[in-house]
Amino acid sequence: MEPYLYAFLGWLLGGFAGGVAGFGGMMTALPVMTLGMTATDAVLTCCITGAPGCMQLAWLYRKNAVWSEMKWLWASCLPGCILGAYTLRVVPMRWLQIAISLMIAVFIVLQ
């Protein structure tokens, strides 16, 4: 039962963050979820749980999207997803946590 509690709490916070900012739901939920499950399970759960939220936001903001330019985002997203899934399988989780933390820190500094 404990992993479900952490998933609930993580996505309660993640859903709030995603609803307010339009992004960051998975980044908010993931650390909370890793308190009750392995990092690999938490990443997979975030991907499965986050997909409907992303689709809902895309539907909500569909009138503001420049759909002719979306093909470039989708073209880069597919190889990125494949590379990310492969990386999750072969790179030690500790290295991934450090790399993601550094990417988030750089993002914050650049803002």
Side-chain angles (χ1 to χ4, degrees):
M1 182 64 171
E2 189 174 303
Y4 296 112
L5 176 64
Y6 287 110
F8 173 80
L9 292 174
W11 275 103
L12 181 66
L13 294 171
F16 176 77
V20 169
F23 72 98
M26 287 187 216
M27 290 191 316
T28 306
L30 187 62
V32 177
M33 292 175 61
T34 57
L35 296 173
M37 61 181 70
T38 66
T40 305
D41 289 344
V43 168
L44 180 59
T45 303
C46 279
C47 290
I48 293 169
T49 307
C54 292
M55 289 187 287
Q56 183 269 336
L57 286 173
W59 179 259
L60 185 64
Y61 294 110
R62 69 189 181 281
K63 293 179 181 174
N64 299 329
V66 181
W67 291 102
S68 61
E69 295 179 8
M70 288 295 162
K71 62 185 171 201
W72 301 111
L73 291 174
W74 290 331
S76 63
C77 181
L78 184 60
C81 288
I82 293 169
L83 182 62
Y86 176 74
T87 302
L88 185 61
R89 294 187 67 149
V90 297
V91 176
M93 188 54 63
R94 188 70 184 148
W95 291 10
L96 291 175
Q97 290 170 332
I98 292 169
I100 290 170
S101 298
L102 289 173
M103 286 189 287
I104 293 169
V106 169
F107 175 76
I108 291 171
V109 169
L110 293 176
Q111 294 300 310

